Amino acid sequence: MGVALTRSAQWTAAGHGAKTLEVTPLNEAIVKEIMMFVESFIYKYPQEANYVFVEPLEWKTNLDPSAFGSGYAVSGTTVKSEEVDKNGEPLLYLSVPKIKIRSFGQLSRMLYIAKSMKLKEAQACIEANRNPVAKILGLDYNIINEKNGNSFVASVLDKMNKDDDPESEIKMKIALQLKQLDLHLLNHSLKHISLEIRLNSGTVKNDIELLKQFSGKGEQTVLESIEYTSDYEFSNGCRAPPWRQIQGEICYVLVKPHDAEILCVTCSKEGVFLNGGKTDDEGQINYERKGEIYKDLVTLLKEKSAIFSENMSKQEVKFSEQLQKDQPNKAPKEEVAVTHKTSITSRKSAQEKNRINLGRSQLTKRLEPSLNWRTSVSSKESRNTLRDTQVEKHGGKLEKSRSSLSPGRAQLIRKSVEKIEEIISDSSSESEEDEEQPDHRQEANADLPSEYWQIQKLVKYLKGGNQTATVIALCSMKDFNLAQETCQLAIRDVGGLEVLINLLETDEVKCKIGSLKILKEISHNPQIRRNIVDLGGLPVMVNILDSPYKSLKCLAAETIANVAKFKRARRVVRRHGGITKLVALLDCGKHSAEPAQSSLYETRDVEVARCGALALWSCSKSYANKEAIRKAGGIPLLARLLKTSHEDMLIPVVGTLQECASEENYRAAIKAERIIENLVKNLNSENEQLQEHCAMAIYQCAEDEDTRDLVRLHGGLKPLASLLTNTDNKERLAAVTGAVWKCSISKENVTKFREYKAIETLVGLLTDQPEEVLVNVVGALGECCQEHENRIIIRKCGGIQPLVNLLVGINQALLVNVTKAVGACAVEPESMMIIDRLDGVRLLWSLLKNPHPDVKASAAWALCPCIQNAKDAGEMVRSFVGGLELVVNLLKSENKEVLASVCAVITNIAKDQENLAVITDHGVVPLLSKLANTNNDKLRRHLAETISRCCMWGRNRVAFGEHKAVAPLVRYLKSNDTNVHRATAQALYQLSEDADNCITMHENGAVKLLLDMVGSPDEELQEAAAGCISNIRRLALAIEKARYS
Amino acid sequence: MNRKKLQKLTDSLNKNCKHFSKFEVKCLINLFYNLVGEVTERQGVIIGLDRNAFRNILHMTFGMTDDMIMDRVFRGFDKDNDGCISITEWVYGLSVFLRGTLEEKMKYCFEVFDLNGDSFISKEEMFHMLKNSLLKQPSEEDPDEGIKDLVEITLKKMDHDHDGKLSFADYEQAVREETLLLEAFGPCLPDPKSQKEFEAQVFKDPNEFSEV
């Protein structure tokens, strides 16, 4: 076993001192094997078991002397075995904590006695005796062991012949047994090692590529996204920086499953595990292992994401098939793909194809210079320079072919460079399908639909025809079902997009119109949109917006509206001045005397404005575009268009406004342009979509108090209330309830809603609605609940039960609103009884464990009235096991709102003496004292209230002084908030009961500040300040008295 | 021509031609006489633009290139088929040519495309008109195959009664569905750009005109 121990067992790399065995499965197995060997030794070889070791095995044990029974002499801290050697020395000698054992028999017995601890003992023994064989048999046997196997038997026989005494025979037998064990252990560990996973960069890459293909938005995909943290790949296929590669790490990937947060995963040779994630500031990765090691990425993800494993099992067959297909002949397949691509774009000559191949090989070559590794992790500038130099090196030719060959790759590079801007420039005010989905081209050998060939022919005529032929081909192409994906993709795959975009750059108006008519239709397809952007179609269309022909402008704007559905496209539109031009389109109706449709290419001005608004609507989903629209003077124009009565026009106009109203600037402008009036007017429209967008816009704008009043003054509350009753259209319902919620922040509006019986309707909406609706409904009810009458209405309509039921949800926004509403209801003692009966307080209390600070704070605020109004509040609070400790520990939070709310809860809890005692035991005083140095007035107020309440128990007053809470409190008196003053004065009054605190207050100039407070109109404040002064003064008098008497 | 006669002509043309104002009619008459040149009016001699002069105008002013189409446009203008465009024909023709309503233009274009005047556009006529519309690819065995195919595509698109030829009804229906097909077989109307230029040049400021 010597060899096994030295070679296989994994020792910690501690430099000095006793080495210990690492806790690895392999070591555990080895120790277990040895233990089993020793344990059974006494039965299998009773004779050899009595053999006395040359030297005792000695180690520190955890065994208790009392554990030893018959056969041992136990005295205090020492144990001697009754079994002795020839010289009368005991074979086992334990003197706590050291143990010495000199025979296998005793070893076996010891392990038997140790019972559950035997594994530990065996390990301690092995750790303390690094060379047990030498100790057992003597050094010469150890040497034999080190020699190789063949000579070993010979030398054993040799020895046996030489000295013929029985002891050496036994020795030999033991040596043979040990040798066997050693071999067994080595075999065993070999098995273990072979089980261990060895990943390499190739398999990892394949896995990731495959997963990528099955990722994206939608229910069918296994993941939302998976990407490397670094774009740079070393020549060995690794993406980890070199110093991490030494650790066997291959690459890091960011995985976004459908049902979990982004996972940062390390793929290393040992396996796949979660690491510490990306640190926010520098984008560096925290390489620390944070979880178990899994054998591959798929296993890890199956463990982490339920949806992944579910969808994976659906796609398992497909996935593994592809895996098999991919691995052996990946390269040839790629070749096929390239040639396919080139062959279908028939225009490309063979020469060009060669160039593409050249470009390809150079692209792969580019990966080689690994000295530049730093660029992959550091800033984008250096990456750019790297790229530039590469391009220079290979000449302009590469540049050209690259753009034509792999839009995907170029796009990837561009994307990463522009990522930073993207992050800041985009608001996600609507769920948009921004996800760039995997590009799936039609398989070359798959059965192509007949449309494909017809379209291919038409594209040929487009390319090779004069104006007349082109127009015929375009018109014919338009007759295909362009809403159908096969046709859309067919146009692209035969190179039609390039031609169509090319046509836009000609002077032929008819060709441009025909081309745009087709582009407008096929750009409903997300893939086509991206292709259009990749081919540079947007700048051309933006230029057409200047065209003198209105119908052309319209078509261009409509196409832009379709294409600009994703971030990158919106940015391109803005960068090419598209926003200004689109805003200019809105400026119609100035020339009221519109000429009759004099030319074929004319259309009504209203139509132009409509298309402009449509495009702006799409563009307005990016933050920077909102700003650009405003700067281009879009708001007054939109406001004017809002006065028209065409629904077609109103929907995009209101849509744009609603989208933009997320910005403060816009809300101010919307107010200034008197837009609210028209929004309200259009709430009465017949069109559901229009109603929805108007309600949405009101929802966004009603953050502002004046706007809320405007909505009421223009009579908008009644239509909103009546729209609540129509629950079929969920999108509209969500928008309407949202508007009701925001409007009900104003009290006058709530009164109106009550008149319109909206509160009853809202209660009815508490069940069987989607979450978007629920969030708003509950939010609205929460606002309504601020008034006594409404609380009664809600209780009477049975609103409390569904509200309490919603407390078990997981949606954060919903939880924040529900807790607020429940808290507001709890103000009413009668309602509180119902909440208590439904176990609502316990639910609220458990929300204090919610990871989201907003939910925590909101739940804590809601608990305050609950504790205030519950019968037997103290008993109720105590009944929550661990509840008080949980609350006290929340004082360690870093969120000011959470802290303030928790302070408020503690104030209420502390009203009960018994509970106050418990929280004092949980250390509430030092925690509160630690918070004292804050500038947040809200926190100050509640903190001071809590402190004054907590002073009521034991020596807490003194303890606050000891924890230096008094001096900061005095400073609170300098705050501008009367509430803070009142709470602080009360706290100081309580604290001043302790003489030391009085001294501290006096030192910090409390007296002067308090004297000012005495003059306050607030009576409570007056009283507390006066009381505090009197305490300080009394102390001073007492001292003076003591001094002179 | 004396002033009185000119005035009478202008009035009568203006009455029958809604698309031009009186001033514009004057301008066109003026232009016509400028183009024809100072030919003294005699009895029995028709004053007008002959085929070549007219084709020249079409080519130079409106950028038309297709000989056949230009010939057909001449025939479209030359209502009385006397091989020369009179002042009346000139003004009437231009009124459709420049300002015509969709109906007028459809009628005009159909006449242009109906080469043999049998009220149908046959396959052969289409082939004839489209034969130069595709780039000849040397690789193809039959250079006309593309054209034939294009004719088939056009028929499929426009021949609603499936009789293998286009009647005016077919044509009208197709154009109403897709205005781009108005000039389906070749440009026989001015493109908007040259139209604008022409109008700007001819209908100059009235004050300027009176000075001239």
Side-chain angles (χ1 to χ4, degrees), chain B residues 78-128:
Chain B
D78 183 17
K79 295 281 180 202
D80 57 5
N81 254 331
D82 62 353
C84 135
I85 291 171
S86 71
I87 177 76
T88 325
E89 284 166 348
W90 168 251
V91 175
Y92 282 155
L94 281 179
S95 110
V96 174
F97 195 68
L98 295 174
R99 307 263 175 99
T101 62
L102 186 62
E103 287 73 19
E104 288 171 333
K105 281 180 176 169
M106 280 195 289
K107 233 173 132 194
Y108 159 81
C109 288
F110 189 80
E111 277 170 23
V112 170
F113 297 141
D114 179 14
L115 300 179
N116 58 7
D118 63 352
S119 305
F120 287 105
I121 305 174
S122 66
K123 271 191 197 183
E124 291 70 33
E125 283 168 325
M126 289 186 210
F127 183 85
H128 205 58

Side-chain angles (χ1 to χ4, degrees), chain B residues 55-73:
Chain B
R55 276 178 52 162
N56 205 27
I57 295 167
L58 286 181
H59 184 66
M60 301 302 282
T61 318
F62 296 108
M64 291 191 188
T65 45
D66 190 330
D67 284 339
M68 186 179 47
I69 295 284
M70 283 196 283
D71 270 346
R72 295 299 306 163
V73 173

